Amino acid sequence: MKQYKHLVINGCSFAAGAMLDNTNKERYGRLISNKMNLEEINLALHGGSNDRIFRTSYDWIQRNKKNCKNTLMIIGLTETFREELYSVKTKKYTKFQYANLDTKQDIDDFKDISGIKDYNKVKQYLEYRFLNFVDELYFKENLRRNIVLLHNYAKSNNIDVVFFDALKDDGNFEEQHRYEYDYSSNQYQDNIKFIVDNDLNYFIFPNNAKNWKKHMLNLDDTYKGYHPTKKQHQEFSELLWEYLNETF
């Protein structure tokens, strides 16, 4: 494998190492960085959206243009039905996942970060947005544009990017929250065509599992779909390390 100077990890809680006893030592990014003898630069955030992943990845490149040559960036794409909105009141980005429209804590978090004090107005706005402006086609097209844009922008700055599906799913809203649901043959072929047509470095899980969560479900009947364990981070890091050596 080629020699890199930096390793940048981005994603959601799966990349951040949520629920591990020793996050900074046990998450897959750190395990990969140990093999590469590099510091792990981890930009991931619990509950983060793909919007945030692309924004912060782009920002990191912008801030480090003079020193980012020979960087490897690994992007774990998250649940499709998450979104990041900018608040003009607080000048902050607010995160939200539409699967949690009925979860008071998530509405409260959005309310606090956005600076909007009225709980009912926040909930009504998010429900209205979800019903009228959000569907799987919108998210899929937006995600694919961002993948290609980040890939090409990184490439122009001598950065290799590897994408993989941590929680990303191309199904509709109901399908994405039934974790037993598998890719149809057409969906899988469509995904492969997108990867090939755009010359992307894209890690695919064994047996064509649609994402890391589905891969863990395939391996362990007792797995309930929660955050990966230390053992699961180790297993994934070994798969990813093999891919990196074959690709670069």
Side-chain angles (χ1 to χ4, degrees):
M1 187 170 69
K2 70 167 70 172
Q3 296 297 308
Y4 291 101
K5 293 182 179 179
H6 308 283
L7 174 65
V8 178
I9 303 292
N10 210 347
C12 58
S13 56
F14 276 34
M19 306 307 291
L20 293 172
D21 291 335
N22 194 328
T23 299
N24 291 330
K25 288 187 177 181
E26 296 173 355
R27 63 190 177 197
Y28 71 83
R30 177 55 58 87
L31 299 176
I32 293 292
S33 72
N34 289 343
K35 292 178 183 291
M36 299 175 70
N37 196 28
L38 293 174
E39 176 190 3
E40 176 204 19
I41 302 168
N42 197 305
L43 308 177
L45 178 70
H46 180 87
S49 64
N50 289 318
D51 290 339
R52 181 193 177 275
I53 291 169
F54 289 110
R55 175 177 62 83
T56 55
S57 297
Y58 170 84
D59 288 349
W60 186 89
I61 298 172
Q62 281 290 95
R63 290 194 306 270
N64 294 278
K65 272 196 169 185
K66 293 182 179 180
N67 302 307
C68 66
K69 185 178 180 180
N70 297 323
T71 291
L72 175 63
M73 185 175 280
I74 301 177
I75 305 293
L77 299 169
T78 191
E79 286 187 17
T80 309
F81 284 87
R82 294 182 181 184
E83 199 167 24
E84 181 179 71
L85 300 173
Y86 182 75
S87 170
V88 297
K89 289 178 71 73
T90 63
K91 311 301 181 186
K92 294 180 180 179
Y93 287 95
T94 60
K95 62 178 183 177
F96 191 74
Q97 52 192 96
Y98 289 101
N100 294 347
L101 273 171
D102 294 322
T103 304
K104 185 177 186 301
Q105 184 61 58
D106 283 58
I107 303 291
D108 281 335
D109 289 344
F110 187 96
K111 178 174 69 72
D112 292 342
I113 296 172
S114 67
I116 302 172
K117 296 181 179 180
D118 192 313
Y119 176 93
N120 289 327
K121 285 185 177 179
V122 170
K123 192 172 190 302
Q124 288 168 6
Y125 166 73
L126 291 170
E127 288 175 341
Y128 183 83
R129 182 176 178 83
F130 176 64
L131 290 173
N132 293 280
F133 299 101
V134 170
D135 67 8
E136 62 271 17
L137 180 60
Y138 159 78
F139 277 116
K140 180 179 179 179
E141 290 181 346
N142 187 54
L143 176 61
R144 288 189 167 185
R145 278 192 297 269
N146 284 331
I147 289 173
V148 174
L149 287 169
L150 180 62
H151 167 75
N152 289 321
Y153 180 60
K155 188 176 181 179
S156 72
N157 284 279
N158 297 302
I159 297 174
D160 290 326
V161 182
V162 172
F163 298 96
F164 75 92
D165 297 339
L167 290 169
K168 177 237 170 188
D169 187 330
D170 291 331
N172 63 37
F173 186 75
E174 290 74 22
E175 290 169 339
Q176 290 195 29
H177 295 90
R178 296 201 307 269
Y179 297 129
E180 74 280 3
Y181 170 80
D182 281 315
Y183 274 136
S184 69
S185 176
N186 287 341
Q187 285 176 325
Y188 177 73
Q189 293 302 324
D190 178 62
N191 201 38
I192 295 299
K193 185 178 187 301
F194 168 71
I195 293 168
V196 172
D197 286 350
N198 292 284
D199 195 26
L200 302 173
N201 302 312
Y202 213 113
F203 172 79
I204 303 293
F205 284 93
N207 301 313
N208 300 330
K210 64 182 178 178
N211 54 39
W212 190 7
K213 177 170 279 191
K214 179 59 179 175
H215 172 69
M216 291 185 284
L217 286 165
N218 288 344
L219 290 181
D220 184 359
D221 291 339
T222 66
Y223 174 61
K224 302 299 183 183
Y226 304 129
H227 291 100
T229 63
K230 176 182 178 180
K231 180 180 178 182
Q232 288 164 332
H233 274 269
Q234 178 67 47
E235 190 263 346
F236 175 52
S237 73
E238 291 170 359
L239 288 175
L240 194 54
W241 181 245
E242 182 179 352
Y243 170 83
L244 293 174
N245 278 279
E246 290 175 352
T247 304
F248 304 108

